Amino acid sequence: MKHTLFAGTAALALLSAGAALAADGILVGHIADITGATSAVGKPYGQGIADAMNYINANGGVGGKKIIFETVDYAYEVPRAMAAYKKLTGSEKATAIQGWGTGDTEALISSVAKDEIPYFSASYSGHLTDPMGKTSVKGAPYNFFYGPSYSDACRGLVQWAAEDWKKKGGAGKPKFVHMGDNHPYPNAPKMACGAYAKELGFEIGNEIQYSLKPGDFKAQCLSLKESGAHYAYLGNTSGSTISLLKSCETVGVTTQFLANIWGTDENSLKTTGDAADKLVWVVGAGTWSDDTPGMKLVREISKISDPTGNEARPVHYIRAICSVYYMKEAMELAAKSGPITGPSIKKAMETHPKDWVPAGLEGVCLPSTWTGEDHRGTTTVKVYQASTKGGAIGMKQVYTAEIPRRKEWLGW
């Protein structure tokens, strides 16, 4: 059975087919942002989640069982995500959930723990990495995500910036500022990354807020220019980044921008044009142009919604596939010793041999390890830089950071 990505007017209702068939398959929730403030990146990520699960179903399912799902567009509104979650824990309880944003994911930490539902989010907040609550405010035993946390990713960008400053022969302390909306997602790495930047010798400037929604950000760009910052972390998603970079180009800002993992992609680089030249950001998996063994499977999965195989998928789509395939293999491992349940999926995630890469995705997904005490799947940060001058769009890896797993950084 194939499920389309968009639920249309039924966005907050699981289709009855999901409930009817749950007994014959594995019910998995899919909460996505297709039309909200982060939809520029939510849409391709959501498509990747749906395509991956549909591809698994078309190729034998999980141990012969189909994944039963329906995509719920919550439009990046936390109350709608909570309503969707309530439906997923009704008479037909989801075995696992593929989720989205930081605000809603963090709001559901206690609920998914109580309900024992593994929650694979597209939020990479460091607050989700401490399963036992050793160093954070609350433990997040049922939260998982694929990729480096926002905090570790920002630390990786700061490492690159420190090296860049030395290469340029910079005199004195370089100045670093955090930029983003006043929202759980952009704020998630702010304290952790600022502390690490200070540790590496940066002067920390006052943060500058700009909206997740695209707009005219010349005022913020003038503030950035006046601050004298050499490096600025961009905490918002790509639509907002496009507006900011264009506004800053207009007022002559020369600051080196460092974008988070959702801050840009191939499509937004094309839209931004020259203003995105030299932008540095985090890429958490393989890219569409890579020639690695695992890209063969990625391209086959892509044909689920693009039978021609001609559509070049952005980096977010590929990370979504990784998220689904870690879940799939955890389910398969769980099935070897009994029923596929939330607790058995959690156990499989935490006991799988280290440096795990899903079968068929070699060279695409970063080797990852989750344990019962540490849900930082990977602390490897791949840093890319864009070249966009003259209309030719390029992106290449310029740095790899291996962030240490300091105990005091767990949960932050």
Side-chain angles (χ1 to χ4, degrees):
M1 181 178 181
K2 185 175 178 179
H3 298 259
T4 56
L5 173 58
F6 304 110
T9 56
L12 275 178
L14 291 176
L15 295 191
S16 58
L21 293 173
D24 302 318
I26 305 165
L27 183 59
V28 174
H30 181 203
I31 300 173
D33 179 13
I34 309 302
T35 60
T38 61
S39 59
V41 291
K43 202 170 178 180
Y45 186 88
Q47 190 70 65
I49 296 290
D51 285 356
M53 291 197 285
N54 279 323
Y55 182 86
I56 290 167
N57 285 344
N59 289 273
V62 179
K65 287 192 171 186
K66 300 282 188 181
I67 296 174
I68 309 301
F69 77 96
E70 180 61 40
T71 300
V72 176
D73 174 18
Y74 80 112
Y76 209 58
E77 296 176 11
V78 173
R80 293 177 67 176
M82 304 300 277
Y85 180 79
K86 186 176 181 180
K87 289 180 181 294
L88 288 165
T89 52
S91 58
E92 294 287 346
K93 180 181 172 183
T95 303
I97 295 174
Q98 291 284 338
W100 179 246
T102 299
D104 35 287
T105 300
E106 291 189 352
L108 287 167
I109 288 174
S110 297
S111 295
V112 299
K114 177 177 66 72
D115 296 327
E116 298 183 322
I117 300 176
Y119 199 96
F120 297 81
S121 67
S123 167
Y124 309 146
S125 170
H127 305 146
L128 306 171
T129 62
D130 182 6
M132 300 183 73
K134 287 186 174 182
T135 61
S136 53
V137 175
K138 65 170 78 171
Y142 276 81
N143 287 92
F144 298 91
F145 59 79
Y146 162 74
S149 71
Y150 293 142
S151 298
D152 283 340
C154 188
R155 290 177 180 119
L157 290 171
V158 167
Q159 273 193 20
W160 175 86
E163 295 288 330
D164 181 64
W165 184 250
K166 291 176 185 175
K167 287 178 183 176
K168 289 177 176 176
K173 283 188 172 186
K175 191 171 186 178
F176 172 84
V177 297
H178 175 100
M179 299 183 68
D181 205 341
N182 184 22
H183 184 278
Y185 148 57
N187 284 341
K190 184 166 60 179
M191 291 180 62
C193 191
Y196 187 58
K198 191 173 182 180
E199 182 181 318
L200 292 185
F202 285 83
E203 177 188 347
I204 310 302
N206 295 328
E207 68 173 291
I208 298 172
Q209 291 184 5
Y210 68 109
S211 174
L212 271 166
K213 295 180 180 179
D216 184 344
F217 298 131
K218 290 188 186 72
Q220 288 89 339
C221 292
L222 286 170
S223 295
L224 176 62
K225 189 175 182 179
E226 290 167 7
S227 77
H230 302 98
Y231 299 92
Y233 173 79
L234 303 182
N236 292 351
T237 50
S238 62
S240 180
T241 300
I242 292 168
S243 294
L244 181 88
L245 294 178
K246 286 186 173 182
S247 292
C248 287
E249 181 186 44
T250 300
V251 300
V253 171
T254 58
T255 301
Q256 172 65 63
F257 291 108
L258 314 169
N260 78 96
I261 203 164
W262 300 105
T264 195
D265 55 37
E266 297 88 338
N267 296 330
S268 63
L269 290 176
K270 291 176 186 175
T271 303
T272 312
D274 287 3
D277 195 52
K278 305 301 181 185
L279 174 68
V280 168
W281 81 104
V282 177
V283 173
T287 69
W288 190 255
S289 61
D290 288 352
D291 182 18
T292 57
M295 283 307 298
K296 180 179 179 182
L297 177 55
V298 170
R299 293 176 192 280
E300 288 303 309
I301 291 170
S302 179
K303 290 178 183 176
I304 291 291
S305 59
D306 174 35
T308 67
N310 293 329
E311 183 176 352
R313 303 291 190 174
V315 289
H316 316 302
Y317 179 94
I318 297 172
R319 289 202 314 282
I321 291 174
C322 292
S323 179
V324 170
Y325 268 73
Y326 279 110
M327 178 188 74
K328 169 187 178 282
E329 291 199 354
M331 288 177 172
E332 291 171 338
L333 183 59
K336 289 181 180 180
S337 56
I340 299 173
T341 65
S344 66
I345 293 170
K346 176 182 185 294
K347 181 180 179 181
M349 289 293 296
E350 295 172 342
T351 59
H352 192 287
K354 68 177 185 177
D355 297 329
W356 174 13
V357 175
L361 291 171
E362 294 80 9
V364 174
C365 307
L366 293 169
S368 300
T369 306
W370 293 268
T371 71
E373 295 186 348
D374 190 341
H375 281 191
R376 290 174 288 190
T378 181
T379 58
T380 298
V381 181
K382 300 201 301 180
V383 178
Y384 275 61
Q385 188 162 39
S387 56
T388 62
K389 287 289 186 183
I393 305 300
M395 48 186 273
K396 67 176 182 178
Q397 188 172 350
V398 293
Y399 191 75
T400 301
E402 296 292 346
I403 306 301
R405 289 178 179 267
R406 293 187 191 174
K407 290 181 180 180
E408 66 271 22
W409 285 354
L410 182 65
W412 295 97

